[in-house]
Amino acid sequence: MGEGGYSLRTATADDVGFLTDMLVAAVNWDPAREAVSRDRVLVDRRTAHYVEGWPRPGDLGVVAVEPGGSPVGAAWLRLFGSDDPGYGFVSEDIPELSMGVLPLWRGRGVGRALLTEIAQRAVERGFARICLSVERANHARRLYTAEGFTTVESGPDSDTMVMVLPERRDRSCRDHAS
Ligand SMILES: CC(C)(COP(=O)(O)OP(=O)(O)OC[C@H]1O[C@@H](n2cnc3c(N)ncnc32)[C@H](O)[C@@H]1OP(=O)(O)O)[C@@H](O)C(=O)NCCC(=O)NCCS
């Protein structure tokens, strides 16, 4: 358990319901707007495909859990084809990030910890970049910018952002260095 009272673990097939909760939270990030229902999120292909069939080969996910084991946040990466792109699609070999933290747990570092961990796992998987789409008014954008994402394309209200990942160091290099 980390200092913040939560720990991180790999997302499994059993987490699909929680990932869907976090997807619904991400869709409804702006409390001033009429909320989109969970059913609607799962019917609309543009949102459903972020969790459909989880986990698909190539998916990567991390869940933050409180001491009792209940999930409090999640970040996950999924590759999309150009025939079925996510909102933040850049190319077929750059996975797109989705993330969310339960309201009571926000502002306590869980989001940053999830992002750091998923980026590290993406490096280990050999990805060179990760991408995302964020609406400009969402404070999540501050987190992404602080962690090294830069804007590669801007729409009227949202940005597509990319984080260039460090090169993977293979084990023999690491062993040699230590
Ligand atoms: C975005 C989200 C995942 C961040 O998770 P979190 O656990 O609250 O984030 P952290 O506590 O690690 O904060 C990281 C940074 O986010 C920003 N941030 C977090 N809460 C903020 C707030 N209420 N106002 C402004 N900035 C805020 C800050 O830059 C913060 O860094 P700092 O603490 O150094 O100032 C969370 O707010 C969330 O689930 N939002 C709804 C879903 C969503 O919008 N998902 C992203 C869709 S693109």
Side-chain angles (χ1 to χ4, degrees), residues 63-139:
V63 176
V65 292
E66 48 90 4
S70 298
V72 299
W76 67 103
L77 290 167
R78 170 164 275 190
L79 289 165
F80 291 96
S82 54
D83 55 344
D84 182 30
Y87 285 105
F89 181 81
V90 176
S91 76
E92 292 190 343
D93 58 354
I94 302 182
E96 183 171 338
L97 176 76
S98 305
M99 68 184 293
V101 172
L102 289 179
L104 275 177
W105 282 81
R106 289 179 194 162
R108 293 161 66 170
V110 178
R112 175 167 279 124
L114 284 166
L115 182 51
T116 305
E117 180 65 21
I118 198 81
Q120 180 55 38
R121 291 183 184 213
V123 170
E124 285 160 14
R125 193 62 78 80
F127 289 116
R129 292 175 168 73
I130 58 179
C131 64
L132 58 82
S133 171
V134 63
E135 288 188 68
R136 217 161 290 125
N138 188 342
H139 66 70

Side-chain angles (χ1 to χ4, degrees), residues 3-50:
E3 282 175 18
Y6 61 88
S7 56
L8 304 180
R9 62 161 174 78
T10 300
T12 70
D14 291 341
D15 293 309
V16 66
F18 185 71
L19 266 49
T20 305
D21 293 345
M22 295 301 95
L23 176 63
V24 173
V27 169
N28 292 311
W29 68 269
D30 183 355
R33 281 192 216 147
E34 194 183 338
V36 181
S37 72
R38 184 188 178 90
D39 284 352
R40 183 92 218 120
V41 167
L42 288 174
V43 163
D44 188 335
R45 168 104 213 111
R46 295 167 302 173
T47 43
H49 67 176
Y50 285 96

